[in-house]
Amino acid sequence: MTDASTAVMPKLNLRNYAIAFVGTVLGLAVAGFALGYIGVHIPTGMNTWLPAAVAALLAGQAIARDTGAPASSGLYWRLGVSATACAVVVHLIVATVVFTGLSVMTGVNMLSQIAAMGPLGLAIVGAVMIAAIYVCNVCFLWLGVKNGLKAQAKKADNQ
């Protein structure tokens, strides 16, 4: 039995989180273009929460694989902060690349679309997006650990 002083605190692998996040963003872009040709459009909000959900789910499964035990609820909330910070940074990088690419390809300043909201509108939209990503990360980290432990138990039962 391990006590609190020797227990290993699970950590979030931000590199793997970012890779899963970017992979999901790219997959959504490809799916969006492909579905757009047949007249089906992916909802805009999906680009906000789905990459975070997939990355957090995979990170939760990795935590379950490493620890083999359920984590305290406080751990999910703490790991959600670093996951959300990573998601926001990756979102900003992707948005910069997309807006720059669109501006170069179309010759139109795409940032003027964002500036039309004004600083207060941009702050409100940003805060809502960050809160949604945070809650999504916490929920899907928990779900990933839960499912990872179920898979481990099922695998142990089959052996």
Side-chain angles (χ1 to χ4, degrees), residues 61-110:
Q61 289 172 349
I63 290 170
R65 196 171 37 253
D66 293 343
T67 62
S72 68
S73 63
L75 177 69
Y76 300 117
W77 292 103
R78 283 191 300 276
L79 292 177
V81 172
S82 58
T84 302
C86 181
V88 168
V89 168
V90 173
H91 262 305
L92 289 174
I93 292 168
V94 168
T96 301
V97 169
V98 167
F99 280 116
T100 302
L102 288 173
S103 294
V104 169
M105 289 172 48
T106 64
V108 176
N109 183 3
M110 300 307 281

Side-chain angles (χ1 to χ4, degrees), residues 138-158:
V138 171
C139 292
F140 280 90
L141 278 167
W142 171 79
L143 192 61
V145 170
K146 179 181 165 194
N147 288 341
L149 293 174
K150 269 188 192 177
Q152 286 178 351
K154 189 173 182 178
K155 187 176 180 182
D157 288 343
N158 290 339

